[in-house]
């Protein structure tokens, strides 16, 4: 199957057109230039093999998809669907390395096409623009940018040396030669600056200073802002003078792997923190279910950016929901109580108080969509605000 001649190029072109139709009907693909790119770039070069997810009694398993000669048609049809195709687990494992389903954490992928094209439409590069992509992954986004702007106008930075090498190979097979730099994407790529546009296909806890320095005055940054509670939002910033930027969060949902240098630290022995800290107890106004709803989860992330979630069984076997902030030596435990929940909080920071206050602020404003929020970046910090820059706000960790 690794033989390029095994792919029916006419069939692949039909599937690309059908995918473009779906993306346009869904409102993700909005311009002729990006439609042309979607119809031209061979996604199959960037997902010659991938993992197929399944959930069952053993948890999440990833089955390798390494198609043989009789499976090419099925594989090709799956490649040209609006799905994220995971191409690496745990930073090193690829589909061809295993012959049975395995457990693991996705660390590289060919991202959901509808999300990729929506972000590229929001980035809105013009002819002649120079673009920096942070997080090359399998390479598809870099190929779409190269098709739209020309390979010489595009640079990608990828922290994973193996993923970068595989992306270079796939890009060459697809007919593109953008620069693919192996390095820390949070540092950008100063040698190629200034850029007109920057787009990230990983999420960040806060916008790196290097990005602001390397994008020209008036240039655009499109990135997902997320964190350790996995609340997430896509923001489009316009770069100003002196390390400043401001802009709105965009409509729609977005989920990316967090940049590896900003990933959550191991929480250590959570039981020690829960046992040594004296706790106050009260009735909770919101239960742990809010952490599974898009906007409340986003607000919780803003309110307690150093917290992580842990579900653990108590001494009586009852499953309990915990927020743990190791740096602040603080915790909040939600305990089922009749039809509601009690919350036990310990340490100097009352984590659940902060979560509930943030959700209250949002509800008092009429529970607006995420597009009612914005982000202002300056020398004094980074602040997410609701309504306008002078409205209620939350400081991002930097």
């Amino acid at each position: 199957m690794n033989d390029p001649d095994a792919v029916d190029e006419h069939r692949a072109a039909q599937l690309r057109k059908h995918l473009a139709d779906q993306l346009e009907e869904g409102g993700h693909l909005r311009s002729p230039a990006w439609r042309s790119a979607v119809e031209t770039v061979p996604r199959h070069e960037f997902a010659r093999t991938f993992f197929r997810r399944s959930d069952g009694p053993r948890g999440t398993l990833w089955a390798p998809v390494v198609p043989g000669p009789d499976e090419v048609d099925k594989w090709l049809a799956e490649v040209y669907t609006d799905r994220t195709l995971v191409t690496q687990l745990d930073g090193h494992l690829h589909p061809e390395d295993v012959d049975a389903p395995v457990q693991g954490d996705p660390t590289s992928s060919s991202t959901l096409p509808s999300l990729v094209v929506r972000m590229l439409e929001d980035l809105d590069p013009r002819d002649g623009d120079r673009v920096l992509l942070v997080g090359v992954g399998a390479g598809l986004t870099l190929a779409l940018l190269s098709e739209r702007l020309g390979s010489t106008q595009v640079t990608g930075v990828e922290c994973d040396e193996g993923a970068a090498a595989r992306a270079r190979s796939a890009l060459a097979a697809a007919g593109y030669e953008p620069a693919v730099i192996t390095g820390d994407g949070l540092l950008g790529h100063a040698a190629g600056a200034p850029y007109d546009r920057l787009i990230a296909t990983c999420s960040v806890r806060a916008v790196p200073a290097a990005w602001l320095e390397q994008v020209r005055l008036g240039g655009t940054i499109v990135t997902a802002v997320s964190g350790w509670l996995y609340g997430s939002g896509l923001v489009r910033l316009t770069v100003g003078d002196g390390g400043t930027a401001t802009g709105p969060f965009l409509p729609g949902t977005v989920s990316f792997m967090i940049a590896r240098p900003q990933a959550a630290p191991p929480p250590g022995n959570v039981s020690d923190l829960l046992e040594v800290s004296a706790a106050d107890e009260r009735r909770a106004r919101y239960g742990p279910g809010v952490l599974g709803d898009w906007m409340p989860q986003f607000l919780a992330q803003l309110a307690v950016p150093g917290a992580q979630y842990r579900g653990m069984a108590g001494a009586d076997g009852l499953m309990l929901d915990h927020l743990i902030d190791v740096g602040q030596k603080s915790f909040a435990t939600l305990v089922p109580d009749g039809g509601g929940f009690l919350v036990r909080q310990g340490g100097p920071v009352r984590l659940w108080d902060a979560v509930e206050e943030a959700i209250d602020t949002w509800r008092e404003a009429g529970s607006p969509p995420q597009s009612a929020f914005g982000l202002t970046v300056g020398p004094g910090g980074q602040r997410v605000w609701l309504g306008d820059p002078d409205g209620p706000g939350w400081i991002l960790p930097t």
Side-chain angles (χ1 to χ4, degrees):
M1 220 299 296
N2 290 324
D3 179 2
D5 294 334
V7 174
D8 182 338
E9 295 296 343
H10 177 69
R11 175 61 176 154
Q14 289 179 319
L15 290 168
R16 285 196 293 273
K17 183 180 184 304
H18 179 65
L19 178 59
D21 289 341
Q22 290 182 309
L23 299 181
E24 188 170 336
E25 290 168 5
H28 311 290
L29 195 54
R30 306 189 294 271
S31 65
W34 286 118
R35 178 172 181 115
S36 175
V38 170
E39 290 189 0
T40 302
V41 173
R43 190 188 191 201
H44 60 267
E45 293 292 358
F46 303 91
R48 286 277 175 173
T49 62
F50 56 88
F51 289 101
R52 186 183 293 127
R53 175 176 175 156
S54 64
D55 295 301
R58 293 173 55 196
T60 297
L61 293 177
W62 299 95
V65 177
V66 184
D70 297 333
E71 302 167 304
V72 173
D73 288 344
K74 180 181 177 181
W75 158 80
L76 196 63
E78 193 167 355
V79 165
Y80 287 107
T81 57
D82 189 24
R83 292 178 46 205
T84 292
L85 302 175
V86 172
T87 54
Q88 183 194 75
L89 298 174
D90 298 332
H92 66 89
L93 195 66
H94 300 100
E96 56 269 32
D97 298 331
V98 298
D99 55 11
V102 295
Q103 294 181 318
D105 294 320
T107 47
S108 189
S109 67
S110 177
T111 302
L112 189 74
S114 58
L115 175 55
V116 170
V117 299
R118 174 159 60 93
M119 291 179 67
L120 291 173
E121 293 277 14
D122 290 331
L123 186 70
D124 193 25
R126 308 301 172 85
D127 293 346
D129 276 356
R130 301 184 64 255
V131 176
L132 179 66
L133 170 67
V134 175
V136 172
L140 178 65
T141 305
L142 203 56
L144 290 166
L145 283 163
S146 297
E147 175 65 28
R148 168 69 181 83
L149 300 169
S151 294
T152 60
Q153 301 300 109
V154 183
T155 300
V157 182
E158 171 59 52
C159 68
D160 186 307
E161 185 173 356
R166 291 167 73 93
R168 289 188 194 99
S169 178
L171 285 159
Y176 304 105
E177 296 181 336
V180 179
I181 309 300
T182 303
D184 183 353
L186 300 182
L187 301 178
H189 181 56
Y195 304 97
D196 300 286
R197 304 281 195 273
L198 183 150
I199 181 172
T201 57
C202 58
S203 64
V204 294
R205 300 182 73 208
V207 179
W211 295 3
L212 301 171
E213 295 167 359
Q214 294 173 25
V215 175
R216 65 166 175 81
L217 180 66
T220 302
I221 295 173
V222 172
T223 186
V225 174
S226 185
W228 300 340
L229 290 179
Y230 306 105
S232 188
L234 185 67
V235 67
R236 180 176 58 211
L237 301 172
T238 299
V239 176
D241 286 318
T244 65
T246 189
F249 281 84
L250 301 171
T253 59
V254 57
S255 179
F256 279 116
M257 303 168 198
I258 196 164
R260 294 188 194 182
Q262 294 187 353
N269 192 333
V270 172
S271 299
D272 288 348
L273 176 60
L274 299 176
E275 290 170 2
V276 302
S277 300
D280 297 328
E281 186 174 278
R282 66 170 175 81
R283 182 157 295 280
R285 289 184 290 107
Y286 302 109
V290 298
L291 298 178
D293 292 338
W294 184 263
M295 282 304 302
Q297 184 183 36
F298 175 66
L299 290 155
Q301 179 70 70
L302 296 175
V304 288
Q308 301 179 56
Y309 170 83
R310 289 291 182 273
M312 297 168 52
D316 56 2
L318 185 68
M319 182 60 68
L320 303 177
D321 298 278
H322 304 278
L323 289 187
I324 307 292
D325 189 326
V326 176
Q328 296 288 348
K329 295 182 172 58
S330 300
F331 72 91
T333 299
L334 289 151
V335 183
D337 180 59
F341 289 85
L342 299 176
V343 59
R344 298 171 183 161
Q345 300 182 93
V349 178
R350 292 297 185 256
L351 298 175
W352 203 248
D353 287 2
V355 170
E356 291 189 331
E357 288 169 7
I359 295 174
D360 283 344
T361 298
W362 171 64
R363 289 190 168 178
E364 288 166 4
S367 303
Q370 201 164 41
S371 54
F373 290 75
L375 173 61
T376 296
V377 178
Q382 303 191 19
R383 182 176 182 270
V384 174
W385 40 263
L386 172 58
D388 63 70
D390 296 323
W394 300 265
I395 304 300
L396 296 181
T398 53

